[in-house]
């Protein structure tokens, strides 16, 4: 096959109704749905090039995928996840050629800022196109899900809802956009509370929560109601309604994880302080609501006009290192590819 390549970008996303638990670990099928906002400022750009120059087909000993992340060879764990994903593409495309993957993140990797969401969304698009496949957005979402559950949502822009699906093959466990939310001037102010990687990855933490937490069944049962209420709040442009649902949902997700054995504790003292700051802002009449992912950072949802007040209050919070302000962004897209 002649070398062919594609560069794609995707924004990360932050869930307002969280995905926490799988109904099928191998296919990465979620136990319940989720709802998120795709972001403009934090994302991934990935170039995939399939070609014979990389040393022949897999299984013949010579070939090895080359994976670069932020200017360096990726560590073995990251490389393993990318190679497993490329293997899915090779099966779909019906060839066995090695690939070179070059990825740059504009989001701190694995610090609870969802680099895997934008990473696998950009990889799904770039690798499928470079392999000559022309997948629909829904097919791309199902494919991205195999890399990381949250990546299925980053195929689309703005507010996005992920269906858990019911089919055993996962073809209906895909995301779709919620266009009712388009143009709503919301912001997410991220309060960074520590540098470095999170204490336990989301897959292992979900598995432990599902296996050992007595609160897990209650968590899974609570999600459909949050999804319904959040979608209704978006359609009605009810900001306080959406914020309240996001906050209760995030705390319930963490409560289920905290009740695992051994407990999963993502929060540090600055996380608690930042949550209190958000509640104090509300007491002062500023509509801000927090959400927290599998890490210690706090993300405050607010309206664009209140961004400065929210940034300032979080920056003054003890233990908060800095803030990053993010806004709704577009779905995954191609920047450049091999001319036809
Ligand atoms: O996509 P994963 O496997 O990294 O899991 C994401 C889990 C959370 O970020 C905590 C929640 C979510 O819905 O994004």
């Amino acid at each position: 096959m002649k070398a062919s390549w594609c560069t794609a970008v995707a924004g990360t996303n932050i869930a307002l109704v969280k995905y926490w638990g799988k109904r099928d670990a191998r296919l990465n099928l979620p136990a319940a749905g989720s709802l998120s906002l795709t972001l403009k400022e934090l994302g991934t750009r990935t170039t995939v090039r399939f070609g014979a120059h990389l040393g022949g087909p897999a299984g013949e000993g010579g070939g090895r995928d080359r994976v670069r992340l932020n200017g360096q060879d990726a560590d073995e764990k990251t490389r393993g996840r990318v190679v497993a994903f490329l293997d899915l593409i090779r099966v779909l495309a019906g060839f066995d050629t090695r690939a070179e993957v070059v990825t740059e993140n504009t989001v701190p990797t694995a610090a609870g800022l969802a680099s895997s969401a934008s990473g696998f969304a950009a990889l799904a698009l770039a690798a499928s196109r470079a392999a000559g496949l022309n997948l629909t957005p829904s097919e791309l979402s199902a494919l991205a899900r195999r890399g990381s559950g949250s990546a299925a949502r980053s195929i689309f822009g703005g507010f996005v809802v992920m269906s858990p699906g019911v089919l055993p093959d996962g073809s209906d466990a895909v995301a779709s956009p919620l266009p009712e939310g388009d143009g709503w001037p919301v912001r997410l102010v991220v309060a960074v509370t520590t540098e470095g990687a999170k204490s336990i990855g989301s897959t292992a933490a979900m598995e432990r929560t599902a296996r050992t937490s007595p609160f897990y069944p209650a968590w899974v049962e609570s999600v459909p109601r949050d999804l319904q209420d959040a979608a209704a709040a978006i359609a009605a442009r009810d900001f306080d309604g959406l914020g309240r649902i996001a906050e209760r949902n995030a705390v319930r997700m963490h409560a289920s994880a905290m009740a695992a054995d051994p407990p999963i504790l993502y929060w540090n003292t600055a996380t608690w302080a930042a949550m209190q700051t958000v509640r104090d802002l509300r007491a002062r009449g500023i509509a801000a609501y927090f959400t927290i992912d599998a890490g210690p950072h706090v993300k405050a949802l607010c309206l664009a006009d209140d961004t400065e007040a929210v940034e300032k209050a979080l920056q003054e919070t003890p233990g908060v290192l800095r803030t990053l302000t993010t806004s709704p962004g577009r779905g995954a897209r191609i920047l450049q590819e091999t001319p036809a």
Side-chain angles (χ1 to χ4, degrees):
M1 137 190 208
K2 94 176 177 14
S4 52
W5 56 274
C6 176
T7 301
V9 287
T12 193
N13 70 77
I14 300 294
L16 301 178
V17 176
K18 306 291 186 194
Y19 150 54
W20 195 253
K22 304 183 200 244
R23 69 178 168 93
D24 180 317
R26 193 182 64 84
L27 294 175
N28 245 353
L29 301 178
S34 55
L35 185 150
S36 60
L37 184 62
T38 300
L39 303 178
K40 180 161 74 183
E41 291 80 3
L42 300 177
T44 303
R45 171 203 292 247
T46 295
T47 300
V48 177
R49 184 186 300 268
F50 283 100
H53 65 292
L54 291 160
E60 288 183 11
R64 186 173 154 90
D65 295 307
R66 186 152 184 248
V67 182
R68 305 271 299 166
L69 175 61
N70 297 332
Q72 296 178 345
D73 286 333
D75 61 62
E76 276 310 304
K77 186 163 168 253
T78 304
R79 193 179 163 278
R81 282 181 79 180
V82 171
V83 170
F85 192 84
L86 292 170
D87 287 342
L88 297 174
I89 303 267
R90 284 186 274 257
V91 168
L92 282 175
F95 64 66
D96 208 5
T97 313
R98 298 287 96 186
E100 181 176 42
V101 177
V102 179
T103 288
E104 304 291 334
N105 278 333
T106 55
V107 33
T109 301
L113 288 177
S115 59
S116 68
S118 53
F120 281 104
L123 182 62
L125 181 54
S128 60
R129 294 289 299 199
L133 300 167
N134 202 358
L135 303 181
T136 64
S138 191
E139 288 167 337
L140 276 171
S141 178
L143 179 63
R145 190 200 71 234
R146 298 290 299 272
S148 164
S150 54
R153 300 184 308 236
S154 274
I155 297 299
F156 302 100
F159 288 99
V160 176
V161 66
M162 172 80 192
S163 164
V166 290
L167 298 175
D169 71 354
S171 53
D172 58 346
V174 295
S176 54
L178 277 175
E180 299 90 330
D182 287 355
W184 203 5
V186 298
R187 299 288 181 266
L188 270 170
V189 180
V190 182
V192 177
T193 64
T194 184
E195 307 288 2
K198 56 191 163 196
S199 49
I200 168 171
S202 52
T203 295
M206 285 180 200
E207 189 279 321
R208 191 194 298 168
T209 305
R211 191 166 40 82
T212 67
S213 173
F215 298 171
Y216 179 72
W219 153 255
V220 173
E221 269 171 42
S222 76
V223 174
R225 171 78 197 273
D226 284 355
L227 281 174
Q228 204 182 350
D229 290 355
I234 290 167
R237 297 279 161 117
D238 172 6
F239 184 78
D240 290 297
L242 180 63
R244 260 197 325 273
I245 296 154
E247 234 179 65
R248 84 177 180 217
N249 180 271
V251 174
R252 285 173 182 173
M253 176 203 117
H254 283 271
S256 75
M258 284 178 195
D261 182 17
I264 296 159
L265 301 172
Y266 283 115
W267 300 351
N268 58 33
T269 49
T271 314
W272 285 100
M275 286 190 274
Q276 191 55 48
T277 295
V278 171
R279 293 163 69 111
D280 291 345
L281 280 164
R282 279 212 297 278
R284 284 165 42 203
I286 295 167
Y289 295 85
F290 64 77
T291 185
I292 307 172
D293 291 294
H297 312 300
V298 175
K299 291 117 189 183
L301 182 70
C302 64
L303 289 164
D305 286 347
D306 293 326
T307 308
E308 271 179 40
V310 174
E311 284 170 344
K312 184 167 179 293
L314 285 169
Q315 283 162 9
E316 287 170 356
T317 300
V320 170
L321 303 175
R322 60 182 187 281
T323 63
L324 298 163
T325 296
T326 61
S327 50
R330 293 155 64 194
R333 60 205 176 275
I334 295 164
L335 287 188
Q336 259 190 316
E337 60 185 333
T338 325

